Amino acid sequence: EWDRYLGRYRWVLGDMEIVRRDGQLVMLAPGTLPSGGATMETVSLVPEREQGFRLMGSQVRGELLRFVPDADGRIARAWAGPHPHDRV
């Protein structure tokens, strides 16, 4: 059931990817190290409602990630808080 959410999503500041890890969904997103270097952050997704997950970790802790299907029922977009991410 969660496989429908897997994939890469793009917004103005870069891409995030939803993957399955140890039987759970996680979000891989660009982050910044204290030294100023770039890294990929891993954020756990906790199911909260249909097509909605709570982000657990990093600076986005507590934000809602919700997935929006198109007219055919395929996931076309994700909203991380107020930020739209188009599936690519």
Side-chain angles (χ1 to χ4, degrees):
E1 152 187 358
W2 288 353
D3 287 350
R4 66 187 294 209
Y5 304 119
L6 301 179
R8 185 173 299 265
Y9 298 81
R10 181 164 291 151
W11 78 304
V12 67
L13 295 180
D15 291 357
M16 70 169 179
E17 190 158 354
I18 304 299
V19 299
R20 185 184 295 271
R21 190 174 284 171
D22 298 325
Q24 296 185 337
L25 291 182
V26 297
M27 178 178 79
L28 305 176
T32 305
L33 296 169
S35 64
T39 186
M40 287 301 284
E41 293 185 78
T42 301
V43 180
S44 298
L45 304 181
V46 177
E48 186 166 289
R49 62 182 194 200
E50 185 178 352
Q51 300 171 354
F53 296 82
R54 192 63 59 185
L55 300 173
M56 303 305 289
S58 179
Q59 296 174 341
V60 294
R61 183 176 187 82
E63 289 280 351
L64 183 66
L65 176 65
R66 69 186 167 85
F67 294 92
V68 180
D70 63 15
D72 295 322
R74 292 182 300 253
I75 300 300
R77 176 174 272 191
W79 286 82
H83 308 290
H85 294 69
D86 292 319
R87 191 169 206 164
V88 293

